[in-house]
Amino acid sequence: MTSNVAGLFSSCGSIDDFRNKVLLCDGDFGFDLEDMISLGNAYISQYPQCLDSTQYCQELAYTGYTMVRICIVEKILCGLDPQVKNTFRDMISHIDRIEQSIASLVSSLGHEAVRLQYTAVNEKLSALQSMIEQIPRGIIKERFSGGISSILNIMYLIRMALQKAAG
């Protein structure tokens, strides 16, 4: 059963609560352009002061970026083997572990298998990035653009570690 991610966000009292609910979905939630805009509207409804330019708004921006990253990570990792999924989650959360994690995955699964998993994840990320580019200008697009940017950078680091592991 596909979950409504905007509804999940609206029902949560904290970003950690939202993360936990999204993780329980295991990537089974709608996340097309309309879903992204609905999630952005839920964020604005919950935090109308985010439209301000105060210091508090900067804290709320971080909440928005985190909300987006949670969803993107779960969508791009959906369908992966649990070991690979958990390792990718760990690398995305702890970039200092990327080289060690890639080396461990390559050791257990083989370089080609890990490269194929990386490619699948990166293709899903590119598709999400293309959708984000279609969001109309404004606070919602800014939160999504900011949220995906760190994941794009981390995927670059993972790709570099994978190339290094190839020798």
Side-chain angles (χ1 to χ4, degrees):
M1 174 180 204
T2 302
S3 295
N4 175 322
V5 73
L8 286 177
F9 183 78
S10 295
S11 72
C12 293
S14 71
I15 197 70
D16 290 330
D17 187 25
F18 178 66
R19 176 183 288 108
N20 292 334
K21 286 188 177 186
V22 170
L23 288 173
L24 288 174
C25 294
D26 197 33
D28 188 20
F29 55 89
F31 207 58
D32 62 15
L33 183 60
E34 287 180 28
D35 295 310
M36 290 178 186
I37 292 170
S38 292
L39 178 59
N41 284 326
Y43 165 78
I44 291 170
S45 291
Q46 192 159 335
Y47 302 109
Q49 59 276 48
C50 73
L51 301 172
D52 231 346
S53 62
T54 64
Q55 177 65 30
Y56 184 63
C57 181
Q58 291 174 351
E59 292 172 28
L60 292 178
Y62 179 75
T63 299
Y65 301 143
T66 302
M67 168 195 74
V68 169
R69 282 192 296 269
I70 291 165
C71 294
I72 288 174
V73 167
E74 290 311 301
K75 287 310 280 186
I76 64 176
L77 300 182
C78 184
L80 292 181
D81 171 86
Q83 175 195 0
V84 175
K85 182 185 289 191
N86 289 331
T87 302
F88 267 81
R89 268 193 202 121
D90 187 61
M91 290 187 293
I92 291 168
S93 297
H94 306 281
I95 61 171
D96 59 319
R97 299 180 191 168
I98 290 175
E99 283 193 28
Q100 177 186 353
S101 296
I102 287 293
S104 178
L105 277 178
V106 167
S107 175
S108 70
L109 302 174
H111 188 273
E112 184 61 15
V114 177
R115 188 191 65 74
L116 290 172
Q117 295 290 313
Y118 168 84
T119 300
V121 169
N122 207 47
E123 286 173 358
K124 290 178 186 178
L125 184 60
S126 292
L128 290 175
Q129 184 180 22
S130 293
M131 272 193 277
I132 289 169
E133 290 170 4
Q134 297 175 40
I135 296 173
R137 241 184 190 172
I139 192 82
I140 295 171
K141 183 172 189 158
E142 190 278 328
R143 294 304 188 261
F144 274 86
S145 296
I148 198 171
S149 65
S150 64
I151 298 169
L152 291 165
N153 291 333
I154 292 167
M155 290 301 289
Y156 169 79
L157 295 173
I158 293 171
R159 182 174 49 123
M160 293 296 102
L162 190 55
Q163 288 175 354
K164 183 177 179 180

